[in-house]
Amino acid sequence: LPPARLAVRLGGVRLPVEFNELVPESVARTNRVVSLSGWREPTVYLAAAAPTDADMIQRLGFILNRDVVAVR
């Protein structure tokens, strides 16, 4: 399946603090994303409200200087 067609349920899940540090809060709120990966990984996986938004994915890839994969 393409990543944008995958869905994650985060209700009741506690993500490691390291995940929250990867994407600055202002960027996460503006783009409505939550990081699902940490600094050590070359690809950033994000739960996103709009996982098919190619502009957002490209913008976040530039900001984070990494490949970005967005899921719902």
Coordinates of all heavy atoms in Angstrom, one line a residue:
L1 N 0.8 -1.2 0.0 CA 0.0 0.0 0.0 C 0.9 1.3 0.0 O 1.9 1.3 0.7 CB -0.9 0.0 1.3 CG -2.0 -0.9 1.4 CD1 -2.6 -0.8 2.7 CD2 -3.0 -0.7 0.3
P2 N 0.4 2.3 -0.7 CA 1.1 3.6 -0.6 C 1.0 4.1 0.8 O 0.0 4.0 1.5 CB 0.4 4.5 -1.6 CG -0.4 3.6 -2.4 CD -0.7 2.3 -1.6
P3 N 2.1 4.7 1.3 CA 2.0 5.2 2.7 C 0.8 6.1 3.0 O 0.3 6.1 4.1 CB 3.3 6.0 2.9 CG 4.2 5.4 1.8 CD 3.4 5.0 0.7
A4 N 0.4 7.0 2.1 CA -0.7 7.9 2.3 C -2.0 7.1 2.5 O -3.0 7.6 3.1 CB -0.9 8.8 1.1
R5 N -2.1 5.8 2.2 CA -3.3 5.0 2.4 C -3.2 4.2 3.7 O -4.2 3.6 4.0 CB -3.5 4.1 1.2 CG -3.7 4.9 -0.1 CD -4.3 4.3 -1.3 NE -5.2 3.2 -1.2 CZ -6.5 3.4 -1.1 NH1 -7.1 4.5 -1.1 NH2 -7.3 2.3 -1.1
L6 N -2.1 4.3 4.4 CA -2.0 3.7 5.7 C -2.6 4.6 6.7 O -2.5 5.8 6.7 CB -0.6 3.4 6.0 CG 0.2 2.4 5.1 CD1 1.6 2.3 5.5 CD2 -0.5 1.0 5.1
A7 N -3.2 4.0 7.8 CA -3.8 4.8 8.8 C -3.2 4.3 10.2 O -3.0 3.1 10.4 CB -5.3 4.6 8.8
V8 N -2.9 5.2 11.1 CA -2.4 4.9 12.4 C -3.4 5.4 13.4 O -3.9 6.5 13.3 CB -1.1 5.6 12.7 CG1 -0.1 4.6 13.2 CG2 -0.5 6.3 11.5
R9 N -3.6 4.7 14.5 CA -4.4 5.1 15.6 C -3.5 5.4 16.8 O -2.8 4.5 17.2 CB -5.5 4.1 16.0 CG -6.5 3.9 14.9 CD -7.5 2.8 15.3 NE -8.3 2.5 14.1 CZ -9.6 2.8 14.0 NH1 -10.2 3.5 15.0 NH2 -10.2 2.5 13.0
L10 N -3.5 6.7 17.2 CA -2.6 7.1 18.3 C -3.3 7.3 19.6 O -2.7 7.7 20.6 CB -1.9 8.4 17.9 CG -1.0 8.2 16.6 CD1 -0.4 9.6 16.3 CD2 0.1 7.2 16.9
G11 N -4.6 7.0 19.7 CA -5.3 7.2 20.9 C -4.7 6.3 22.1 O -4.5 5.1 21.9
G12 N -4.3 7.0 23.1 CA -3.8 6.3 24.3 C -2.3 5.9 24.1 O -1.7 5.3 25.0
V13 N -1.7 6.2 23.0 CA -0.3 5.9 22.8 C 0.6 7.0 23.3 O 0.4 8.2 23.1 CB 0.0 5.7 21.3 CG1 1.5 5.5 21.0 CG2 -0.8 4.5 20.7
R14 N 1.7 6.6 24.0 CA 2.7 7.6 24.5 C 3.9 7.4 23.6 O 4.6 6.4 23.7 CB 3.0 7.3 25.9 CG 1.8 7.6 26.9 CD 2.3 7.6 28.3 NE 1.8 8.9 28.8 CZ 2.2 9.4 29.9 NH1 3.2 8.8 30.6 NH2 1.7 10.6 30.3
L15 N 4.2 8.4 22.8 CA 5.3 8.4 22.0 C 6.6 8.9 22.8 O 6.5 9.7 23.6 CB 5.1 9.3 20.8 CG 4.0 8.9 19.8 CD1 3.8 10.0 18.8 CD2 4.3 7.6 19.2
P16 N 7.7 8.3 22.5 CA 9.0 8.8 23.1 C 9.2 10.3 22.9 O 8.9 10.8 21.9 CB 10.1 8.0 22.5 CG 9.4 6.8 21.9 CD 8.0 7.3 21.5
V17 N 9.8 10.9 23.9 CA 10.1 12.3 23.9 C 10.9 12.7 22.7 O 10.7 13.7 22.0 CB 10.8 12.8 25.2 CG1 11.2 14.2 25.1 CG2 9.9 12.6 26.4
E18 N 11.8 11.8 22.3 CA 12.7 12.0 21.2 C 11.9 12.3 19.9 O 12.3 13.1 19.1 CB 13.5 10.7 21.0 CG 14.4 10.7 19.7 CD 15.0 9.4 19.5 OE1 14.9 8.4 20.2 OE2 15.7 9.3 18.4
F19 N 10.7 11.6 19.8 CA 9.9 11.8 18.6 C 9.4 13.3 18.5 O 9.3 13.9 17.5 CB 8.7 10.9 18.6 CG 9.1 9.4 18.3 CD1 10.4 9.0 18.3 CD2 8.1 8.5 18.0 CE1 10.7 7.7 18.1 CE2 8.4 7.2 17.8 CZ 9.7 6.8 17.8
N20 N 9.0 13.8 19.7 CA 8.5 15.2 19.8 C 9.5 16.2 19.5 O 9.2 17.3 19.1 CB 7.9 15.5 21.2 CG 6.6 14.6 21.4 OD1 5.9 14.2 20.5 ND2 6.4 14.3 22.7
E21 N 10.8 15.9 19.7 CA 11.9 16.8 19.5 C 12.3 16.9 18.0 O 12.9 17.9 17.7 CB 13.1 16.4 20.3 CG 12.8 16.5 21.8 CD 14.0 15.9 22.7 OE1 14.8 15.2 22.1 OE2 13.9 16.1 23.9
L22 N 11.9 16.0 17.2 CA 12.3 16.0 15.8 C 11.7 17.1 15.0 O 12.3 17.8 14.3 CB 12.0 14.6 15.2 CG 12.4 14.5 13.7 CD1 13.9 14.6 13.6 CD2 11.9 13.1 13.2
V23 N 10.3 17.3 15.2 CA 9.6 18.3 14.5 C 9.3 19.4 15.5 O 8.6 19.2 16.5 CB 8.3 17.7 13.9 CG1 7.5 18.8 13.1 CG2 8.6 16.6 13.0
P24 N 9.7 20.7 15.2 CA 9.4 21.8 16.1 C 7.9 21.9 16.3 O 7.1 21.7 15.3 CB 10.0 23.0 15.4 CG 11.1 22.4 14.5 CD 10.6 21.1 14.1
E25 N 7.5 22.3 17.5 CA 6.1 22.4 17.8 C 5.3 23.3 16.8 O 4.2 22.9 16.3 CB 5.9 22.9 19.2 CG 4.4 22.9 19.6 CD 4.2 23.4 21.0 OE1 5.1 23.6 21.7 OE2 3.0 23.6 21.3
S26 N 5.9 24.4 16.5 CA 5.2 25.3 15.6 C 5.0 24.7 14.2 O 3.9 24.9 13.6 CB 5.9 26.7 15.4 OG 7.2 26.5 14.9
V27 N 6.0 24.0 13.7 CA 5.9 23.3 12.4 C 4.8 22.2 12.5 O 4.0 22.0 11.6 CB 7.2 22.8 12.0 CG1 7.1 21.9 10.7 CG2 8.2 23.9 11.8
A28 N 4.9 21.4 13.6 CA 3.9 20.3 13.8 C 2.5 20.9 13.8 O 1.6 20.3 13.2 CB 4.2 19.6 15.0
R29 N 2.2 21.9 14.5 CA 0.9 22.5 14.6 C 0.4 23.1 13.3 O -0.7 22.9 12.9 CB 0.8 23.6 15.7 CG 0.9 23.0 17.1 CD 0.7 24.1 18.1 NE 0.9 23.6 19.5 CZ -0.1 23.1 20.2 NH1 -1.3 23.1 19.7 NH2 0.1 22.7 21.4
T30 N 1.3 23.8 12.6 CA 0.9 24.4 11.4 C 0.6 23.4 10.3 O -0.4 23.6 9.6 CB 2.1 25.3 10.8 OG1 2.4 26.3 11.8 CG2 1.8 25.9 9.5
N31 N 1.3 22.3 10.3 CA 1.1 21.3 9.3 C 0.3 20.1 9.7 O 0.0 19.2 9.0 CB 2.5 20.8 8.8 CG 3.3 21.8 8.1 OD1 2.9 22.2 6.9 ND2 4.2 22.4 8.7
R32 N -0.1 20.2 11.0 CA -0.9 19.1 11.6 C -0.3 17.7 11.5 O -0.9 16.8 10.9 CB -2.4 19.2 11.1 CG -3.0 20.5 11.4 CD -4.3 20.8 10.8 NE -5.2 19.6 10.8 CZ -6.2 19.5 10.0 NH1 -6.6 20.5 9.2 NH2 -7.0 18.5 10.0
V33 N 0.9 17.6 12.0 CA 1.6 16.4 11.9 C 2.2 16.0 13.3 O 2.3 16.8 14.2 CB 2.8 16.4 10.9 CG1 2.3 16.7 9.5 CG2 3.8 17.4 11.4
V34 N 2.4 14.7 13.5 CA 3.0 14.1 14.7 C 4.1 13.2 14.2 O 3.9 12.3 13.3 CB 2.0 13.3 15.5 CG1 2.7 12.6 16.7 CG2 0.9 14.2 16.1
S35 N 5.3 13.3 14.7 CA 6.4 12.5 14.3 C 6.2 11.0 14.9 O 5.9 10.9 16.1 CB 7.7 13.0 14.8 OG 8.8 12.2 14.5
L36 N 6.5 10.1 14.0 CA 6.5 8.7 14.5 C 7.9 8.0 14.4 O 8.0 6.8 14.5 CB 5.5 7.9 13.5 CG 4.1 8.3 13.5 CD1 3.3 7.5 12.4 CD2 3.4 8.2 14.8
S37 N 8.9 8.9 14.3 CA 10.3 8.4 14.3 C 11.2 9.4 15.0 O 10.8 10.5 15.2 CB 10.7 8.1 12.9 OG 10.5 9.2 12.0
G38 N 12.4 9.0 15.2 CA 13.3 9.8 16.0 C 14.5 10.3 15.1 O 14.6 10.0 13.9
W39 N 15.5 10.9 15.7 CA 16.6 11.5 15.0 C 17.5 10.5 14.3 O 18.1 10.8 13.3 CB 17.5 12.3 16.0 CG 16.9 13.7 16.3 CD1 16.3 14.1 17.4 CD2 16.9 14.8 15.4 NE1 15.9 15.4 17.3 CE2 16.2 15.9 16.1 CE3 17.2 15.0 14.1 CZ2 16.0 17.1 15.5 CZ3 17.0 16.2 13.5 CH2 16.4 17.3 14.2
R40 N 17.6 9.3 14.9 CA 18.6 8.3 14.4 C 18.1 7.7 13.0 O 18.9 7.1 12.4 CB 18.8 7.2 15.4 CG 19.5 7.7 16.6 CD 19.7 6.6 17.6 NE 19.7 7.1 19.0 CZ 18.7 7.2 19.8 NH1 17.5 6.8 19.4 NH2 18.9 7.7 21.0
E41 N 16.9 7.9 12.7 CA 16.4 7.3 11.5 C 16.5 8.2 10.3 O 16.3 9.4 10.4 CB 14.9 6.9 11.7 CG 14.8 5.9 12.8 CD 13.3 5.5 13.1 OE1 12.5 5.4 12.1 OE2 13.0 5.4 14.3
P42 N 17.0 7.7 9.1 CA 17.2 8.6 8.0 C 15.9 9.1 7.3 O 15.9 10.1 6.7 CB 18.0 7.7 7.0 CG 17.6 6.3 7.4 CD 17.4 6.3 8.8
T43 N 14.8 8.3 7.5 CA 13.5 8.7 7.0 C 12.6 9.1 8.1 O 12.5 8.3 9.1 CB 12.9 7.6 6.2 OG1 13.8 7.3 5.1 CG2 11.5 8.0 5.6
V44 N 11.9 10.2 8.0 CA 10.9 10.6 9.1 C 9.5 10.1 8.7 O 9.1 10.4 7.6 CB 10.9 12.1 9.2 CG1 9.9 12.6 10.2 CG2 12.3 12.6 9.6
Y45 N 8.9 9.4 9.6 CA 7.5 9.0 9.4 C 6.7 9.9 10.2 O 6.9 10.1 11.4 CB 7.3 7.5 9.8 CG 8.1 6.6 8.9 CD1 9.4 6.2 9.1 CD2 7.4 6.1 7.7 CE1 10.1 5.4 8.2 CE2 8.1 5.2 6.9 CZ 9.4 4.9 7.1 OH 10.0 4.1 6.2
L46 N 5.6 10.5 9.5 CA 4.8 11.4 10.2 C 3.3 11.0 10.1 O 2.9 10.6 9.0 CB 4.9 12.8 9.6 CG 6.3 13.5 9.6 CD1 6.2 14.7 8.7 CD2 6.7 13.8 11.0
A47 N 2.6 11.1 11.2 CA 1.1 10.9 11.1 C 0.6 12.3 10.7 O 1.0 13.3 11.4 CB 0.5 10.5 12.4
A48 N -0.1 12.4 9.6 CA -0.5 13.7 9.1 C -2.0 13.8 8.8 O -2.6 12.8 8.4 CB 0.3 14.0 7.8
A49 N -2.6 15.0 9.0 CA -4.0 15.2 8.7 C -4.2 15.1 7.2 O -5.3 14.7 6.7 CB -4.5 16.5 9.3
A50 N -3.2 15.5 6.4 CA -3.3 15.5 5.0 C -2.1 14.8 4.4 O -1.2 15.5 3.8 CB -3.4 17.0 4.4
P51 N -2.0 13.5 4.5 CA -0.8 12.8 4.0 C -0.6 12.8 2.5 O 0.5 12.4 2.1 CB -1.1 11.3 4.5 CG -2.6 11.2 4.6 CD -3.1 12.6 5.0
T52 N -1.5 13.2 1.7 CA -1.3 13.3 0.3 C -0.9 14.7 -0.2 O -0.7 14.9 -1.4 CB -2.6 12.9 -0.5 OG1 -3.7 13.8 -0.1 CG2 -3.0 11.4 -0.2
D53 N -0.7 15.6 0.7 CA -0.3 17.0 0.4 C 1.2 17.0 0.0 O 2.1 17.0 0.9 CB -0.6 17.9 1.6 CG -0.3 19.4 1.3 OD1 0.4 19.6 0.3 OD2 -0.7 20.2 2.1
A54 N 1.5 16.9 -1.2 CA 2.9 16.8 -1.7 C 3.7 18.1 -1.3 O 4.9 17.9 -1.0 CB 2.9 16.6 -3.2
D55 N 3.1 19.2 -1.3 CA 3.8 20.5 -1.0 C 4.2 20.4 0.5 O 5.3 20.8 0.8 CB 2.9 21.7 -1.2 CG 2.7 22.0 -2.7 OD1 3.6 21.6 -3.5 OD2 1.7 22.6 -3.0
M56 N 3.3 19.9 1.4 CA 3.6 19.8 2.8 C 4.8 18.8 3.0 O 5.7 19.1 3.7 CB 2.4 19.4 3.6 CG 2.8 19.2 5.1 SD 1.6 18.1 6.0 CE 1.8 16.6 5.1
I57 N 4.7 17.7 2.3 CA 5.8 16.7 2.5 C 7.1 17.2 2.0 O 8.1 17.1 2.7 CB 5.4 15.4 1.7 CG1 4.2 14.8 2.4 CG2 6.6 14.4 1.7 CD1 3.5 13.6 1.6
Q58 N 7.1 17.9 0.9 CA 8.4 18.5 0.4 C 8.9 19.6 1.3 O 10.1 19.7 1.6 CB 8.1 19.1 -1.0 CG 9.4 19.7 -1.6 CD 9.1 20.2 -3.0 OE1 8.0 20.5 -3.4 NE2 10.2 20.5 -3.7
R59 N 8.0 20.4 1.8 CA 8.4 21.5 2.8 C 9.0 20.9 4.1 O 10.0 21.4 4.5 CB 7.1 22.4 3.1 CG 7.4 23.5 4.0 CD 6.2 24.5 4.1 NE 5.0 23.8 4.5 CZ 3.9 23.5 3.7 NH1 3.9 24.0 2.4 NH2 2.8 22.9 4.1
L60 N 8.3 19.9 4.6 CA 8.9 19.3 5.8 C 10.2 18.6 5.6 O 11.1 18.6 6.4 CB 7.8 18.3 6.4 CG 6.6 19.0 7.0 CD1 5.5 17.9 7.4 CD2 7.0 19.8 8.2
G61 N 10.3 18.0 4.4 CA 11.6 17.3 4.0 C 12.7 18.4 4.0 O 13.8 18.1 4.5
F62 N 12.4 19.5 3.5 CA 13.4 20.6 3.5 C 13.7 21.1 4.9 O 14.9 21.2 5.2 CB 12.9 21.8 2.6 CG 13.8 22.9 2.6 CD1 14.9 22.9 1.7 CD2 13.6 24.1 3.3 CE1 15.8 24.0 1.7 CE2 14.5 25.1 3.3 CZ 15.6 25.1 2.5
I63 N 12.7 21.3 5.7 CA 12.9 21.8 7.1 C 13.7 20.8 7.9 O 14.6 21.2 8.6 CB 11.5 22.1 7.7 CG1 10.9 23.3 7.1 CG2 11.7 22.3 9.2 CD1 9.4 23.5 7.5
L64 N 13.4 19.5 7.8 CA 14.0 18.5 8.6 C 15.3 17.9 7.9 O 16.0 17.2 8.6 CB 13.0 17.4 8.8 CG 11.7 17.8 9.5 CD1 10.7 16.6 9.6 CD2 12.0 18.3 10.9
N65 N 15.5 18.3 6.7 CA 16.7 17.8 5.9 C 16.7 16.2 5.9 O 17.7 15.6 6.2 CB 18.0 18.3 6.5 CG 19.1 18.1 5.5 OD1 18.9 18.0 4.3 ND2 20.3 18.0 6.1
R66 N 15.5 15.6 5.7 CA 15.4 14.2 5.6 C 14.3 13.8 4.6 O 13.4 14.6 4.3 CB 15.0 13.6 7.0 CG 16.1 13.8 8.0 CD 15.6 13.4 9.3 NE 16.5 13.8 10.3 CZ 17.2 13.0 11.1 NH1 17.1 11.7 11.0 NH2 18.1 13.5 11.9
D67 N 14.3 12.6 4.3 CA 13.1 12.0 3.5 C 11.9 11.9 4.4 O 12.1 11.6 5.6 CB 13.4 10.7 2.9 CG 14.5 10.7 1.9 OD1 14.6 11.7 1.2 OD2 15.2 9.7 1.7
V68 N 10.7 12.3 3.9 CA 9.5 12.3 4.8 C 8.5 11.3 4.1 O 8.3 11.4 2.9 CB 8.9 13.7 4.9 CG1 7.6 13.7 5.6 CG2 9.9 14.6 5.6
V69 N 7.9 10.5 5.0 CA 6.8 9.6 4.6 C 5.6 10.0 5.5 O 5.8 10.0 6.7 CB 7.2 8.1 4.7 CG1 6.0 7.3 4.4 CG2 8.3 7.8 3.8
A70 N 4.5 10.4 4.9 CA 3.3 10.7 5.7 C 2.3 9.6 5.6 O 2.0 9.1 4.6 CB 2.8 12.1 5.2
V71 N 1.7 9.3 6.8 CA 0.6 8.4 6.9 C -0.6 9.1 7.6 O -0.4 10.1 8.2 CB 1.0 7.1 7.6 CG1 2.1 6.4 6.9 CG2 1.4 7.4 9.1
R72 N -1.8 8.5 7.4 CA -2.9 9.1 8.0 C -3.1 8.7 9.5 O -2.8 7.6 9.9 CB -4.2 8.5 7.3 CG -5.1 9.6 7.0 CD -6.3 9.1 6.2 NE -5.9 8.0 5.3 CZ -6.8 7.2 4.7 NH1 -8.1 7.4 4.9 NH2 -6.5 6.3 3.9

